[in-house]
CSV table of all heavy atoms in Angstrom, one decimal:
chain,number,residue,atom,x,y,z
A,583,ARG,N,60.7,90.0,-47.8
A,583,ARG,CA,61.6,90.8,-48.6
A,583,ARG,C,63.0,90.8,-47.9
A,583,ARG,O,63.2,91.4,-46.8
A,583,ARG,CB,61.1,92.2,-48.8
A,583,ARG,CG,59.8,92.3,-49.6
A,583,ARG,CD,59.2,93.7,-49.7
A,583,ARG,NE,57.9,93.6,-50.3
A,583,ARG,CZ,57.0,94.6,-50.3
A,583,ARG,NH1,57.4,95.8,-49.8
A,583,ARG,NH2,55.8,94.5,-50.8
A,584,ASN,N,63.9,90.2,-48.5
A,584,ASN,CA,65.3,90.0,-48.0
A,584,ASN,C,66.2,90.0,-49.2
A,584,ASN,O,65.9,89.3,-50.2
A,584,ASN,CB,65.4,88.7,-47.2
A,584,ASN,CG,66.8,88.4,-46.8
A,584,ASN,OD1,67.7,88.1,-47.6
A,584,ASN,ND2,67.0,88.5,-45.5
A,585,THR,N,67.2,90.8,-49.2
A,585,THR,CA,68.0,91.0,-50.5
A,585,THR,C,68.9,89.7,-50.8
A,585,THR,O,69.2,89.5,-52.0
A,585,THR,CB,69.0,92.2,-50.4
A,585,THR,OG1,69.8,92.1,-49.2
A,585,THR,CG2,68.2,93.5,-50.2
A,586,VAL,N,69.2,88.9,-49.8
A,586,VAL,CA,69.9,87.7,-50.1
A,586,VAL,C,68.9,86.7,-50.7
A,586,VAL,O,69.2,86.0,-51.7
A,586,VAL,CB,70.5,87.0,-48.8
A,586,VAL,CG1,71.3,85.8,-49.2
A,586,VAL,CG2,71.4,88.1,-48.1
A,587,ARG,N,67.7,86.5,-50.1
A,587,ARG,CA,66.7,85.7,-50.7
A,587,ARG,C,66.3,86.1,-52.1
A,587,ARG,O,66.2,85.3,-53.0
A,587,ARG,CB,65.4,85.7,-49.8
A,587,ARG,CG,64.3,84.8,-50.3
A,587,ARG,CD,63.0,85.0,-49.4
A,587,ARG,NE,63.2,84.4,-48.1
A,587,ARG,CZ,63.2,85.0,-47.0
A,587,ARG,NH1,63.0,86.3,-47.0
A,587,ARG,NH2,63.4,84.4,-45.8
A,588,TYR,N,66.2,87.4,-52.3
A,588,TYR,CA,65.9,88.0,-53.6
A,588,TYR,C,67.0,87.6,-54.6
A,588,TYR,O,66.7,87.1,-55.7
A,588,TYR,CB,65.9,89.5,-53.5
A,588,TYR,CG,65.6,90.2,-54.9
A,588,TYR,CD1,64.3,90.4,-55.4
A,588,TYR,CD2,66.7,90.7,-55.6
A,588,TYR,CE1,64.1,91.0,-56.6
A,588,TYR,CE2,66.5,91.3,-56.9
A,588,TYR,CZ,65.2,91.4,-57.3
A,588,TYR,OH,65.0,92.0,-58.6
A,589,THR,N,68.3,87.7,-54.2
A,589,THR,CA,69.4,87.3,-55.1
A,589,THR,C,69.3,85.9,-55.6
A,589,THR,O,69.5,85.6,-56.8
A,589,THR,CB,70.7,87.6,-54.4
A,589,THR,OG1,70.8,89.0,-54.1
A,589,THR,CG2,71.9,87.2,-55.3
A,590,PHE,N,69.0,85.0,-54.7
A,590,PHE,CA,69.0,83.6,-55.1
A,590,PHE,C,67.6,83.0,-55.5
A,590,PHE,O,67.6,82.0,-56.2
A,590,PHE,CB,69.5,82.8,-53.9
A,590,PHE,CG,71.0,82.9,-53.7
A,590,PHE,CD1,71.5,83.9,-52.8
A,590,PHE,CD2,71.9,82.2,-54.4
A,590,PHE,CE1,72.8,84.1,-52.6
A,590,PHE,CE2,73.3,82.4,-54.3
A,590,PHE,CZ,73.8,83.3,-53.4
A,591,CYS,N,66.5,83.6,-55.1
A,591,CYS,CA,65.2,83.0,-55.3
A,591,CYS,C,64.3,83.8,-56.2
A,591,CYS,O,63.3,83.2,-56.6
A,591,CYS,CB,64.6,82.8,-53.9
A,591,CYS,SG,65.5,81.7,-52.8
A,592,HIS,N,64.6,85.0,-56.5
A,592,HIS,CA,63.7,85.7,-57.4
A,592,HIS,C,64.3,85.7,-58.8
A,592,HIS,O,65.5,86.1,-59.0
A,592,HIS,CB,63.5,87.2,-57.0
A,592,HIS,CG,62.3,87.8,-57.5
A,592,HIS,ND1,62.1,88.1,-58.9
A,592,HIS,CD2,61.2,88.3,-56.9
A,592,HIS,CE1,61.0,88.6,-59.1
A,592,HIS,NE2,60.3,88.8,-57.9
A,593,PRO,N,63.5,85.3,-59.8
A,593,PRO,CA,64.1,85.1,-61.2
A,593,PRO,C,64.6,86.4,-61.8
A,593,PRO,O,65.5,86.4,-62.6
A,593,PRO,CB,62.9,84.5,-62.0
A,593,PRO,CG,61.7,84.8,-61.2
A,593,PRO,CD,62.1,84.8,-59.7
A,594,ALA,N,64.0,87.6,-61.3
A,594,ALA,CA,64.4,88.9,-61.9
A,594,ALA,C,65.9,89.2,-61.5
A,594,ALA,O,66.5,90.0,-62.2
A,594,ALA,CB,63.5,89.9,-61.4
A,595,ALA,N,66.4,88.7,-60.4
A,595,ALA,CA,67.7,89.1,-59.9
A,595,ALA,C,68.8,88.8,-60.9
A,595,ALA,O,69.7,89.6,-61.1
A,595,ALA,CB,68.0,88.4,-58.6
A,596,ARG,N,68.7,87.7,-61.6
A,596,ARG,CA,69.8,87.3,-62.5
A,596,ARG,C,69.9,88.2,-63.7
A,596,ARG,O,71.0,88.3,-64.4
A,596,ARG,CB,69.6,85.8,-63.0
A,596,ARG,CG,69.8,84.9,-61.8
A,596,ARG,CD,69.6,83.4,-62.2
A,596,ARG,NE,69.7,82.5,-61.1
A,596,ARG,CZ,70.8,81.9,-60.7
A,596,ARG,NH1,71.9,82.0,-61.4
A,596,ARG,NH2,70.8,81.1,-59.6
A,597,GLU,N,68.8,88.9,-64.1
A,597,GLU,CA,68.8,89.8,-65.2
A,597,GLU,C,69.1,91.2,-64.6
A,597,GLU,O,69.7,92.0,-65.4
A,597,GLU,CB,67.4,89.9,-65.9
A,597,GLU,CG,67.0,88.5,-66.5
A,597,GLU,CD,68.0,88.1,-67.6
A,597,GLU,OE1,68.5,89.0,-68.3
A,597,GLU,OE2,68.2,86.9,-67.7
A,598,LEU,N,68.8,91.5,-63.4
A,598,LEU,CA,69.0,92.8,-62.8
A,598,LEU,C,70.5,93.1,-62.6
A,598,LEU,O,71.0,94.2,-62.9
A,598,LEU,CB,68.2,93.0,-61.5
A,598,LEU,CG,68.3,94.3,-60.8
A,598,LEU,CD1,67.7,95.4,-61.6
A,598,LEU,CD2,67.7,94.3,-59.4
A,599,TYR,N,71.2,92.2,-62.0
A,599,TYR,CA,72.6,92.4,-61.6
A,599,TYR,C,73.5,92.3,-62.8
A,599,TYR,O,73.4,91.3,-63.6
A,599,TYR,CB,73.0,91.4,-60.5
A,599,TYR,CG,72.3,91.6,-59.2
A,599,TYR,CD1,71.7,90.5,-58.6
A,599,TYR,CD2,72.2,92.8,-58.6
A,599,TYR,CE1,71.1,90.6,-57.4
A,599,TYR,CE2,71.6,93.0,-57.4
A,599,TYR,CZ,71.0,91.8,-56.8
A,599,TYR,OH,70.4,92.0,-55.6
A,600,ASP,N,74.4,93.2,-63.0
A,600,ASP,CA,75.3,93.2,-64.2
A,600,ASP,C,76.2,92.0,-64.1
A,600,ASP,O,76.5,91.4,-65.1
A,600,ASP,CB,76.2,94.5,-64.2
A,600,ASP,CG,77.1,94.5,-65.3
A,600,ASP,OD1,76.6,94.6,-66.5
A,600,ASP,OD2,78.3,94.5,-65.2
A,601,ASP,N,76.6,91.6,-62.9
A,601,ASP,CA,77.4,90.4,-62.7
A,601,ASP,C,76.8,89.6,-61.5
A,601,ASP,O,77.1,89.8,-60.4
A,601,ASP,CB,78.9,90.7,-62.4
A,601,ASP,CG,79.8,89.5,-62.3
A,601,ASP,OD1,79.3,88.4,-62.1
A,601,ASP,OD2,81.0,89.7,-62.4
A,602,TRP,N,75.8,88.7,-61.9
A,602,TRP,CA,75.1,88.0,-60.8
A,602,TRP,C,76.0,87.2,-59.9
A,602,TRP,O,75.8,87.2,-58.7
A,602,TRP,CB,74.0,87.1,-61.4
A,602,TRP,CG,73.2,86.4,-60.4
A,602,TRP,CD1,72.0,86.9,-59.8
A,602,TRP,CD2,73.4,85.2,-59.8
A,602,TRP,NE1,71.6,86.0,-58.8
A,602,TRP,CE2,72.4,84.9,-58.8
A,602,TRP,CE3,74.4,84.2,-60.0
A,602,TRP,CZ2,72.4,83.8,-58.0
A,602,TRP,CZ3,74.4,83.0,-59.2
A,602,TRP,CH2,73.4,82.8,-58.3
A,603,GLU,N,76.9,86.5,-60.5
A,603,GLU,CA,77.8,85.6,-59.7
A,603,GLU,C,78.5,86.4,-58.7
A,603,GLU,O,78.7,85.9,-57.5
A,603,GLU,CB,78.7,84.8,-60.6
A,603,GLU,CG,79.6,83.8,-59.9
A,603,GLU,CD,78.9,82.6,-59.4
A,603,GLU,OE1,77.8,82.3,-60.0
A,603,GLU,OE2,79.5,81.9,-58.6
A,604,ALA,N,79.1,87.5,-59.0
A,604,ALA,CA,79.8,88.4,-58.1
A,604,ALA,C,78.9,88.9,-57.0
A,604,ALA,O,79.3,88.9,-55.8
A,604,ALA,CB,80.5,89.5,-58.8
A,605,ARG,N,77.7,89.4,-57.4
A,605,ARG,CA,76.8,89.9,-56.4
A,605,ARG,C,76.3,88.8,-55.4
A,605,ARG,O,76.2,89.0,-54.2
A,605,ARG,CB,75.6,90.5,-57.1
A,605,ARG,CG,75.9,91.7,-57.9
A,605,ARG,CD,76.1,93.0,-57.1
A,605,ARG,NE,77.4,93.0,-56.4
A,605,ARG,CZ,78.5,93.4,-57.0
A,605,ARG,NH1,78.6,93.6,-58.3
A,605,ARG,NH2,79.7,93.4,-56.3
A,606,ALA,N,76.1,87.6,-56.0
A,606,ALA,CA,75.7,86.5,-55.1
A,606,ALA,C,76.8,86.1,-54.2
A,606,ALA,O,76.5,85.8,-53.0
A,606,ALA,CB,75.3,85.3,-56.0
A,607,ALA,N,78.0,86.0,-54.7
A,607,ALA,CA,79.2,85.7,-53.8
A,607,ALA,C,79.3,86.7,-52.7
A,607,ALA,O,79.6,86.3,-51.5
A,607,ALA,CB,80.4,85.6,-54.6
A,608,ASP,N,79.1,88.0,-53.0
A,608,ASP,CA,79.2,89.0,-52.0
A,608,ASP,C,78.2,88.8,-50.9
A,608,ASP,O,78.4,89.0,-49.7
A,608,ASP,CB,79.1,90.4,-52.6
A,608,ASP,CG,80.3,90.8,-53.4
A,608,ASP,OD1,81.3,90.2,-53.3
A,608,ASP,OD2,80.2,91.8,-54.2
A,609,ALA,N,76.9,88.5,-51.3
A,609,ALA,CA,75.8,88.3,-50.4
A,609,ALA,C,76.1,87.2,-49.4
A,609,ALA,O,75.9,87.3,-48.2
A,609,ALA,CB,74.5,88.1,-51.1
A,610,VAL,N,76.6,86.1,-49.9
A,610,VAL,CA,77.0,84.9,-49.1
A,610,VAL,C,78.1,85.2,-48.2
A,610,VAL,O,78.1,84.9,-47.0
A,610,VAL,CB,77.3,83.7,-50.0
A,610,VAL,CG1,77.7,82.5,-49.1
A,610,VAL,CG2,76.0,83.3,-50.8
A,611,ALA,N,79.1,85.9,-48.7
A,611,ALA,CA,80.3,86.3,-47.8
A,611,ALA,C,79.9,87.1,-46.7
A,611,ALA,O,80.4,87.0,-45.5
A,611,ALA,CB,81.4,87.0,-48.7
A,612,ASN,N,79.0,88.1,-46.9
A,612,ASN,CA,78.5,88.9,-45.8
A,612,ASN,C,77.7,88.1,-44.8
A,612,ASN,O,77.9,88.3,-43.5
A,612,ASN,CB,77.6,90.0,-46.3
A,612,ASN,CG,77.1,90.9,-45.2
A,612,ASN,OD1,77.8,91.7,-44.6
A,612,ASN,ND2,75.8,90.8,-44.9
A,613,LEU,N,76.9,87.2,-45.3
A,613,LEU,CA,76.1,86.3,-44.3
A,613,LEU,C,77.0,85.4,-43.5
A,613,LEU,O,76.7,85.1,-42.4
A,613,LEU,CB,75.1,85.5,-45.1
A,613,LEU,CG,74.0,84.8,-44.3
A,613,LEU,CD1,73.2,85.8,-43.4
A,613,LEU,CD2,73.0,84.1,-45.3
A,614,GLN,N,78.1,85.0,-44.1
A,614,GLN,CA,79.1,84.2,-43.4
A,614,GLN,C,79.7,85.0,-42.2
A,614,GLN,O,79.8,84.4,-41.1
A,614,GLN,CB,80.3,83.8,-44.3
A,614,GLN,CG,80.0,82.6,-45.2
A,614,GLN,CD,80.1,81.3,-44.6
A,614,GLN,OE1,80.3,81.1,-43.4
A,614,GLN,NE2,80.1,80.2,-45.4
A,615,THR,N,79.9,86.2,-42.3
A,615,THR,CA,80.4,87.0,-41.2
A,615,THR,C,79.4,87.2,-40.1
A,615,THR,O,79.7,87.2,-38.9
A,615,THR,CB,80.9,88.4,-41.7
A,615,THR,OG1,79.8,89.2,-42.1
A,615,THR,CG2,81.9,88.4,-42.8
A,616,VAL,N,78.1,87.3,-40.5
A,616,VAL,CA,77.0,87.4,-39.5
A,616,VAL,C,76.9,86.1,-38.8
A,616,VAL,O,76.7,86.0,-37.6
A,616,VAL,CB,75.7,87.8,-40.2
A,616,VAL,CG1,74.6,87.8,-39.2
A,616,VAL,CG2,75.8,89.1,-40.9
A,617,ALA,N,76.9,85.0,-39.5
A,617,ALA,CA,76.8,83.6,-38.9
A,617,ALA,C,77.9,83.3,-38.0
A,617,ALA,O,77.7,82.6,-37.0
A,617,ALA,CB,76.7,82.6,-40.0
A,618,ALA,N,79.1,83.8,-38.2
A,618,ALA,CA,80.2,83.6,-37.3
A,618,ALA,C,80.0,84.2,-35.9
A,618,ALA,O,80.3,83.6,-34.9
A,618,ALA,CB,81.5,84.1,-37.9
């Protein structure tokens, strides 16, 4: 259970989020800061 994995890999996520693309972009942007 990981919220980034959920966003991209669980089919329910695209229906759950009001704006999936924006939520997905936020998740990746946060992970970029961690990876740096």
